[in-house]
Amino acid sequence: MRAVCWEGKETIRVETVPDPAILNPRDAIIKVTTTAICGSDLHIYNGSIPTMHKGDVLGHEFMGEVVEVGKETTGLAVGDRVVVPFTISCGRCAFCARQLWSLCDNSNPNAWMAEALYGYSGAALFGYSHLYGGYPGGQAEYVRVPFADVGPLKVPEGLSDEQVLFLSDIFPTGYMAAENCGIQPGDTVAVWGCGPVGQFAIRSAFMLGAERVVAIERIPDRLARAAESGADTLNYMELDVLEALRDLTGGQGPDACIDAVGLEAHGTTLDAWYDRAKMKMYLATDRPHALRQAISACRKGGTVSIPGVYGGWLDKFPLGTAFAKGLTLRMGQTHMQAYMPKLLERIERGEIDPSFIITHRIALEDAPGMYRTFREKDDACLKVVMTPGAAPMTPPDRGPQTPDDQALSAS
Amino acid sequence: MAMTSTSSRSTVTRTEDWMALGTGIALLAAGLSRRATSGACLAASAAPFLYRGVSGRWPDIVSRGLRADSTKAALGGSRGVHVRESIRLEKPIGEVYRFWRQLDQLPRFMFHLERVTETGDGKSHWVAKGPGDVPIEWDAEIVNEREDQLLAWQSLPGSDVVSAGSVTFSDVRQGRSTQVRVHLQYSPPAGRTGAWIATLFGREPSQTIREDLRRFKQLLEAGEIARATPGT
Ligand SMILES: NC(=O)c1ccc[n+]([C@@H]2O[C@H](COP(=O)([O-])OP(=O)(O)OC[C@H]3O[C@@H](n4cnc5c(N)ncnc54)[C@H](O)[C@@H]3O)[C@@H](O)[C@H]2O)c1
Ligand SMILES: [Zn+2]
Ligand SMILES: [Zn+2]
C-alpha cells in the first residue's frame, strides 16, 4: 500500500510499504477514506519528537471502512464506517475505567522508553514515534487499529467524512481544553494559538458558556477565522498581549487561559530568543513562550488549560507566579473516548460543522509538499485533508485549486 | 562479589557453580540486548533460576508444603543480587493467582521461555531459549504455595541453572485490584566468566522482570499483549 513516511527532519516521502495485518484478537484493519495532517505532526516534521525511525508511517487523524476484524473485536463488523481516536487504549485498565483513556496502561509496547523519560507511560498513539509505541499511522491506504472494540466510533450515513473526521483528535482536543477551564457563565477565556486546536477550543468555549473568548495569534487569516467564530482577536506582533488582556478584563485578567500552541511557540520578546538559542544548542527541549504568557495573564484563582504538547524539562517556568495566584493547571493528551460520542451528537444536531476549518484537500501522494505549506502557513493553510488513492496534483508542491477549495477559502 | 558459601566445598565444584550461574546470566543478557534492538523483548526469569552459584550449596528446604518461612530460608541472607518488582492489576486476586499458577502459561508473558511442563508433585521442567538457539533446560519445584497469597520455587539439585524466587499476591482497593510482587535472588559472577558476563550484562535486571510483569498485566487485563509490528 501507499503511505506517508518520515525519512528524517523535514523529509517526508510517500512510499510503498507492506499492508497491515491483524496481529491481535481485538484488532481491526481500516481502509482509510480520509486522513489529515495535525499540528502535532509538525513537531515530528521539525525533528522535535525523539525516537522517530526512518520509514515510520505518519498520521493519527483518520477514518474509513472496516475491512477485517480480529476474532475478539466485538461490536464492529466489516463494512462499518468509523472514525478512529488518535490514542490507543485498552478500555480495561484502571485508567481507562476512570475515563482517563489517554493514560492507558496497556497499549504502549515501548512503555519502558516513556518510563525512562517520564517515570510512567501513557497510552500509545498512532504514527507518533517509538516512545509512543511505534504503531504505524493512518496517513496510508490501510491501518491496523488495536483494541478496535473500544476505539473506533461508528458514524451515521447522513454525515460526510469531512464533518466527522476531526472527531479523531482536534475537535475533542479543543473541547477538552475548554472543559478543563471549568467555564462559568459570564467568563472570559483567552486562547493562545489559532491553529486547528485553537479554533476548536474557541468554538467549544462558547458552547460551554463563555461570554467572551479572546484569541491570540499572529497569522492574519487565522485571526480572521477566530473572529468568524465570535472571538475578539489580538495580534501579538502588534501589541502587548498582557496589557491588552488586562485592558479587556478591567485589570483582572481572563478567568481561564488555553495554551493551544505547545512546545514550539514563536515569540519576539527576550524570553523567546533565550529559548530559541538554548534549543539550538540542545540545552532546552521546549520553547514555552505562550505558556509563560498564559500563566502571567490568568486572573487570580483561574485555570490554565494546556492542550499544546510539551515534551521535556521547561526552563524559566514561572511556577512562582502560578503559585502566588493560586492557579489550577490542567493538561494532557485528550481522553478521546470520553468525548467522541457526545461530540458526534453535537454534529448530528447541527450545533457545529467541524469541516469549517478545512482549507486544503489533496491526494495522499501530495503530502510531502503540503507538510511544508502547513508548517509555513502559506496559502492561508489551516487544515489539510487527504484522500488515499486519489490522483496526485502537479506540480507536487502546490495545494489543489479545485472549485470546492476556492469556494471554501472565499467563504 | 564475596562468596559466602561453605568453605568446605572444593574449588572445582565452586567453579562449576559459577559457570552455571554465568550461563543463566548470559541468557538474561541475551534477552536484554535483544530488547535494545526490538524495543520490547526481554529475557526475564532467566535471572530467577540462578542460585546454586550464589550459595554454593542447595538450600536446606527442598520439599513441598513446608512452613511459611521456607521461602525466606530459600531466599535468605544478603548474598547475591535481589530483584524486587511489583505491579497492580484490575483483576480479582483469585483470577490473578490462578493464571500465574498455571506454569505452562508463563512463556506467554516471559518471552525468553520456550515451555514449562508440570511433571507432577509440584515439580516442573523448564526450557528456555539459550544464546545461539541452544536451549537451556532445568527442573524446578514449588517449595511453598498458599492459594491467592504466595508461590515460591527453586530449582532442583542437579540442575545446571539454579534459582530461587517468590511471588506474592495481595488485595488492594477493596478487592478490585491485585498487587503482585516478585522477589528473585541471584549473585553476580566472579572470575573470568564474570568478567565476560559483565561486559554482556551491565543493565538493570529488575527491568527484565518489569517487562515480564507488564506483559502479564496486559494479558490479564486487556486479553492480549500490545504490539506495534509483526516482529514484536
Ligand atoms: N493534547 C492533545 O491531545 C493534542 C492533540 C492535538 C494537538 N495537540 C497540540 O496542540 C498544539 C496546536 O495544534 P494545532 O494543530 O492547532 O497546531 P498549529 O501549529 O497549526 O497551531 C499553532 C498556532 O500557534 C500559533 N503561535 C505560535 N506561537 C504563538 C504565540 N507565542 N502566541 C500565540 N500563538 C502562537 C501559530 O502561529 C499557529 O497558528 C500543538 O502543540 C499540538 O501538538 C495536542
Ligand atoms: Zn493530532
Ligand atoms: Zn487501558
Side-chain angles (χ1 to χ4, degrees), chain A residues 109-113 130, chain B residues 33-42 211 232:
Chain A
N110 300 332
W112 64 272
M113 288 189 198
H130 290 260
Chain B
S33 44
R34 187 152 15 114
R35 157 179 170 253
T37 49
S38 79
C41 180
L42 289 154
E211 293 302 328
T232 49

Side-chain angles (χ1 to χ4, degrees), chain A residues 24 50 148 170 282 290 335 346 371 402:
Chain A
N24 271 341
I170 49 175
Y282 298 98
H335 303 304
R346 283 189 188 261
Y371 264 81
T402 60

Side-chain angles (χ1 to χ4, degrees), chain A residues 104-380:
Chain A
C104 176
D105 258 347
N106 290 328
S107 61
N108 188 352
N110 300 332
W112 64 272
M113 288 189 198
E115 284 177 357
L117 202 55
Y118 302 127
Y120 297 88
S121 174
L125 312 177
F126 286 102
Y128 214 77
S129 84
H130 290 260
L131 175 63
Y132 283 106
Y135 288 92
Q139 289 171 9
E141 289 182 279
Y142 295 91
V143 61
R144 168 185 164 245
V145 176
F147 306 124
D149 53 336
V150 293
L153 177 72
K154 281 189 242 180
V155 290
E157 276 318 311
L159 298 171
S160 70
D161 274 22
E162 292 188 355
Q163 284 175 296
V164 293
L165 174 63
F166 304 126
L167 287 170
S168 62
D169 178 354
I170 49 175
F171 183 17
T173 295
Y175 190 90
M176 183 169 113
E179 197 182 76
N180 277 346
C181 291
I183 297 170
Q184 300 296 313
D187 276 2
T188 295
V189 179
V191 179
W192 274 257
C194 298
V197 171
Q199 299 289 345
F200 279 108
I202 293 165
R203 294 271 178 130
S204 304
F206 280 124
M207 281 180 186
L208 292 168
E211 185 172 275
R212 183 155 61 170
V213 178
V214 185
I216 301 141
E217 177 53 83
R218 75 175 183 288
I219 313 289
D221 46 85
R222 295 189 172 200
L223 281 167
R225 216 169 269 263
E228 282 165 28
S229 296
D232 295 339
T233 58
L234 298 179
N235 186 331
Y236 66 83
M237 299 295 280
E238 293 168 1
L239 43 74
D240 181 324
V241 172
L242 293 181
E243 213 172 273
L245 286 172
R246 262 196 301 270
D247 261 13
L248 283 168
T249 55
Q252 195 172 51
D255 300 286
C257 293
I258 296 176
D259 170 3
V261 177
L263 75 162
E264 292 177 299
H266 161 267
T268 51
T269 53
L270 198 59
D271 70 312
W273 288 111
Y274 173 84
D275 290 339
R276 210 167 244 288
K278 277 199 95 170
M279 220 162 161
K280 279 241 152 61
M281 296 187 293
Y282 298 98
L283 292 172
T285 51
D286 307 65
R287 300 200 302 264
H289 177 67
L291 181 56
R292 286 190 195 112
Q293 217 169 48
I295 288 173
S296 304
C298 197
R299 76 149 161 80
K300 290 185 287 179
T303 299
V304 174
S305 162
I306 313 169
V309 165
Y310 289 89
W313 288 260
L314 265 55
D315 206 355
K316 303 265 178 296
F317 183 75
L319 191 64
T321 307
F323 184 87
K325 294 198 287 185
L327 298 183
T328 299
L329 304 188
R330 305 201 65 184
M331 63 197 89
Q333 303 280 1
T334 310
H335 303 304
M336 294 297 295
Q337 282 89 334
Y339 295 95
M340 291 170 77
K342 66 182 178 200
L343 295 183
L344 175 63
E345 279 172 30
R346 283 189 188 261
I347 297 170
E348 282 186 283
R349 288 199 300 264
E351 289 170 32
I352 183 168
D353 179 355
S355 68
F356 80 97
I357 63 161
I358 301 172
T359 52
H360 290 67
R361 297 170 171 84
I362 63 165
L364 188 77
E365 297 291 329
D366 291 324
M370 200 48 78
Y371 264 81
R372 175 162 291 275
T373 305
F374 179 42
R375 204 243 335 241
E376 300 306 322
K377 300 157 183 73
D378 286 345
D379 202 20

Side-chain angles (χ1 to χ4, degrees), chain A residues 22-27 72 90 92-95 97-98 105-113 115 119 121 133-136 144 146-147, chain B residues 35-40 42 88 90-91 173 177 203 207 210-211 214 217-232:
Chain A
I22 299 274
L23 300 180
N24 271 341
R26 298 170 64 195
D27 285 356
E72 285 167 30
C90 81
R92 299 180 188 170
C93 68
F95 296 90
R98 286 175 206 169
D105 258 347
N106 290 328
S107 61
N108 188 352
N110 300 332
W112 64 272
M113 288 189 198
E115 284 177 357
S121 174
Y135 288 92
R144 168 185 164 245
F147 306 124
Chain B
R35 157 179 170 253
T37 49
S38 79
L42 289 154
R88 187 182 279 194
E90 288 294 283
K91 285 280 171 189
R173 302 206 316 124
S177 315
R203 262 180 213 257
Q207 184 65 26
R210 192 155 175 72
E211 293 302 328
R214 195 197 311 285
K217 172 181 161 80
Q218 289 176 354
L219 211 48
L220 260 113
E221 282 185 353
E224 59 187 47
I225 292 166
R227 49 195 195 142
T229 49
T232 49

